[in-house]
Every structure is written in structure tokens, then in C-alpha cells.
Amino acid sequence: LCAIFAVVLPIRLVVPTLTVGMLIYATMTGAIVTPPTIETQSDLIIEIYALIALGIVIFVLGLRSHGNHLQDQQVSSLRRLNTVRNYAGVGVFAVDLTLRMVSVDPVTQRMLGVPQSFDIASMMRKFGDHEQKELRRMMFQRPGDTTTLLSRLRQTPGSNMHRVIRLFLWYERSFDNSPVVYGLVVDVTGEHLQERALKETLAELSIRQDQQKQMFSIISHELRTPASVISMLIDDLNDETADQDHLTKRLREATDQLLGVLTDMRQAVNPEKNLPINPVPFVPADLAESIRNTFEMQAQASGITIRLRFGEGANEMVLADSVRIKHRTGVWSITDNGIGIAPEEVERLFQPFQRGGEDARNRADGSGLGLYIVRTTAQLLGGSVTYFPAPEGGAGYHVR
């Protein structure tokens, strides 16, 4: 009877049952309290069998107790693992391909926004077209495969967050040989956002690096131009027949042009450190003549003629920031007879370091800062700059 109880009863009931049974048996018979006297050979055999049976009972109880302890440890480990899994946002699900039903755990319910059990069609609608195709391929076209999918769930109404999940899927046969797909769902939205932010930062740094390279190349080019003019004027100073006063004036203007280029660069790189506005009286016609003299040698070398047309009041004294006007535009309106600017390119060329266009005749020359500084300066002085197609066929700008 003890052996039957030891095998059949749950382990937590075996010891109390046997203990109570032994007490009742001892009370009623006194056989355990007063050991029986062994008188015959059969009594000895029975005693030996009883001891063997008691040993078997104890051994069975020990095995069952040890097995129960291991099972409790496994259950406890699984419980802790589930706690960690829930905290980490890892869900599990199973797809019965015969019934076409999906069963999910509470974590997956939260991530997908679905009930505990639903049909496959409802599951498919949670994913994009590419992911749906891959899921159908695995479930119905090529069963037995194992795959991993990174997917952005379709945005649910009323939510402004795009959840990104990673699916780990594998195909098995259940105990009744029906096809089942098991899967893990991992919420990687945070990692995806961090990765996207990192890519955007790296792209921005790359753009800045390219701009810096371009800027240094442009600076060297722009400084070379006025420096070459100064070099030519110094050579002319050694000519005794040259007009020394005129050469000195042009040398001063070329030097001012060099300083103007440096000022342009500073304004583009550190606009917060710009020179303060300093209105002074000057004559616009004299300022225009000075600018023409600065660029005349370069223009002649390139076969370009610079013409000035003075309007009413050009010879009258005005009060303005002559440094900014001189080093940025030089005139209120400027036109050329070049190829002009396509309408879609007009606004782009007002941005810093933007030069030329796709037309092969439009050589990418200059710093790419001119129009940017013109607009910035005009706005700083309370004015504006607008583009218009020049009557000569090229580009024109009004500076107000």
C-alpha cells in the first residue's frame, strides 16, 4: 500500500499520507512500537521483504522529490525568462497553417495591437507588401525554411509612431503532424531610430566635410585672382613711362578687393562675427568707377567689357555702408549678356557655395558666395535682391 501511494499520489501528499497511515497502523496494532518476534523462517522472509519494500518506497520518494525539484527549477527559470522577455519587448506566436489561425502571447498582443487569437489575413494586414510576400512564401510556398524579417508595421489610426519589429520564424510539424510556424517578435523601434539618427548625423558630417573641402578650394582660387592683379600692377610700377598715380590708385583698389574677398569668406563662415553697419557719405558714381577699375584688367584679359550707366542722382552724395555695397554688388542693377539662369536654378544660386548649372557653357567659377552675401547684406541693410532676365539676354539682378 505504501509503494502504491508513493508512486500514485502527488509528491506533496505522499509523506503526510504515509506518516498519518503509519501512526494509525501503529496505534491499532502496536506492531511498529513493539517489534514482532521472529519465530519462523517465513516470518524472517516477510521481514526482509518488508524492509526491501520500505527501501523501494524511500528510493521512489527520493527520485520523485528530485524530479519535482528539477521541475520547479525549470518552471522558476522559465518564469524569470518570461519576465525578462516581457521587459525586453520579445513576444512569441504560433501560426496553425491548417486552421489558418494565429495565437500570440501578451507581449505580441501589445506590439501588434491584436487579440490573443486571430486569422492569418489579419496578421498579414499588419505588414507591408514585401513582408507579406516573404511570409506567404515561407508558410505556403517553401515550408521548412527558417528566416528573419525586419519590418515596419503599418501605422495604426490615432498613432504617430511607426513601430519597427524583427521577426524570427521557423517551420515545424506538431504532434499530430500538422504544419505550424513558430516565431519570435522583437521590438527594435528604439534601435532603428538610433540607427537612423546616426546615419543622418554621418550624412550631415559628410556634407559639411565636402563643403569645407570646397570652401578651401574656393578660397585659394579667390585669393589668387586679386593677388595676381596686385602682382601685375607691381610689375607695371617698374615702368618709368607708366602713370604712377593711376597705378597706385589701382593697386589700392586691388588691395581693397583682396580684403573684400577675405571679408566675404568671414561673412560666409562666421556670419555672427560680421562687421557692424557703418554708414558714411560717398558718391555712388565714384564708387562704381573704383569697382570698374578693380576688375578692368581681369575683364580685358577675358575679353569682357564693363560698361557703367549712371542714373539720376549717381553723382550726388549719399549716406550708406560703402564697404558692404562696394564689396558685394557695386551697382544698384547689374546685367550681362551671358546664357542667363534657368528659373528652377534662381533660388538655389542664392545659397552659399552654389555655383553655375548643368549647362556646359556655364563654367563653375567664383566662390559661390556672391549672391548669398548680396542677399544677406541687402536684408541686413533693410533692402532686397531680385533676379530678372536681362534685356541683353543674360542674367540681371535688382538691388534695392
Side-chain angles (χ1 to χ4, degrees):
L1 184 62
C2 289
I4 293 174
F5 283 165
V7 174
V8 175
L9 290 179
I11 190 68
R12 64 180 181 275
L13 298 179
V14 172
V15 174
T17 301
L18 295 184
T19 303
V20 173
M22 287 294 184
L23 290 175
I24 295 174
Y25 177 77
T27 302
M28 294 177 63
T29 64
I32 296 179
V33 178
T34 303
T37 302
I38 300 175
E39 298 178 350
T40 64
Q41 185 70 22
S42 60
D43 292 339
L44 178 61
I45 294 174
I46 292 175
E47 181 71 15
I48 293 174
Y49 283 156
L51 291 175
I52 292 174
L54 182 60
I56 292 174
V57 170
I58 295 173
F59 180 73
V60 170
L61 287 176
L63 287 180
R64 293 194 63 192
S65 177
H66 179 68
N68 190 68
H69 174 69
L70 294 178
Q71 184 178 6
D72 289 341
Q73 282 188 327
Q74 292 177 350
V75 172
S76 178
S77 298
L78 288 175
R79 187 181 300 110
R80 288 192 293 268
L81 181 61
N82 282 331
T83 301
V84 175
R85 181 177 59 80
N86 294 339
Y87 179 76
V90 179
V92 295
F93 66 92
V95 182
D96 189 327
L97 299 180
T98 303
L99 300 177
R100 293 179 177 268
M101 293 297 294
V102 183
S103 301
V104 300
D105 71 332
V107 179
T108 308
Q109 285 184 257
R110 292 197 305 269
M111 281 193 284
L112 301 184
V114 294
Q116 186 176 2
S117 181
F118 54 97
D119 57 77
I120 292 181
S122 299
M123 176 183 179
M124 292 295 182
R125 287 194 291 268
K126 293 290 182 180
F127 299 93
D129 296 335
H130 173 73
E131 289 79 9
Q132 290 185 26
K133 182 179 178 180
E134 180 65 20
L135 288 172
R136 290 192 181 96
R137 182 196 65 80
M138 178 183 176
M139 293 179 182
F140 305 110
Q141 298 174 13
R142 295 177 57 187
D145 286 357
T146 299
T147 187
T148 301
L149 287 178
L150 181 64
S151 173
R152 173 180 290 184
L153 296 179
R154 295 187 186 273
Q155 190 171 3
T156 57
S159 174
N160 58 355
M161 182 182 67
H162 291 279
R163 188 182 294 275
V164 181
I165 63 172
R166 188 180 295 276
L167 297 177
F168 300 89
L169 306 169
W170 64 94
Y171 179 95
E172 289 187 5
R173 292 280 179 176
S174 65
F175 65 91
D176 59 354
N177 203 36
S178 59
V180 180
V181 172
Y182 296 99
L184 287 178
V185 186
V186 183
D187 189 348
V188 294
T189 305
E191 292 81 355
H192 179 73
L193 293 176
Q194 291 177 355
E195 181 181 0
R196 187 173 65 179
L198 179 60
K199 288 182 178 179
E200 292 176 353
T201 302
L202 291 176
E204 183 180 353
L205 290 175
S206 177
I207 292 175
R208 289 185 179 181
Q209 186 178 17
D210 291 341
Q211 288 179 342
Q212 287 179 351
K213 291 180 180 178
Q214 183 183 22
M215 182 182 66
F216 289 131
S217 175
I218 290 171
I219 288 175
S220 64
H221 175 272
E222 287 296 294
L223 293 179
R224 189 182 298 113
T225 301
S228 62
V229 173
I230 293 174
S231 178
M232 289 187 292
L233 290 174
I234 291 176
D235 292 338
D236 291 342
L237 287 175
N238 296 325
D239 186 358
E240 297 179 355
T241 61
D243 186 346
Q244 298 296 319
D245 292 337
H246 180 67
L247 289 177
T248 301
K249 180 180 178 182
R250 295 184 65 179
L251 182 61
R252 170 58 62 186
E253 292 169 348
T255 304
D256 291 342
Q257 172 64 15
L258 178 60
L259 295 175
V261 171
L262 295 175
T263 302
D264 289 349
M265 297 302 170
R266 184 176 66 174
Q267 179 167 340
V269 176
N270 294 312
E272 69 279 1
K273 296 182 180 179
N274 288 339
L275 294 174
I277 299 176
N278 183 27
V280 296
F282 67 95
V283 177
D286 294 343
L287 182 60
E289 291 283 357
S290 173
I291 294 172
R292 191 211 13 216
N293 293 337
T294 300
F295 291 99
E296 188 173 15
M297 294 183 67
Q298 295 174 259
Q300 290 176 353
S302 301
I304 297 175
T305 302
I306 300 178
R307 297 187 180 90
L308 299 178
R309 300 183 182 90
F310 297 121
E312 183 179 355
N315 291 296
E316 298 178 1
M317 190 75 69
V318 297
L319 185 66
D321 191 328
S322 62
V323 174
R324 280 187 165 83
I325 293 178
K326 179 176 180 178
H327 287 154
R328 306 310 189 265
T329 60
V331 291
W332 298 112
S333 176
I334 182 168
T335 62
D336 61 43
N337 61 347
I339 63 174
I341 300 175
E344 64 272 11
E345 292 288 314
V346 171
E347 191 59 32
R348 179 182 70 84
L349 294 178
F350 277 106
Q351 303 303 316
F353 301 108
Q354 297 296 322
R355 303 186 295 172
E358 296 182 356
D359 195 308
R361 299 169 295 172
N362 193 355
R363 295 184 305 167
D365 197 7
S367 64
L369 294 174
L371 291 176
Y372 166 72
I373 295 175
V374 168
R375 171 176 282 184
T376 303
T377 302
Q379 292 175 346
L380 185 63
L381 296 173
S384 64
V385 180
T386 55
Y387 169 83
F388 67 94
E392 297 87 351
Y397 290 92
H398 289 307
V399 182
R400 295 182 175 82

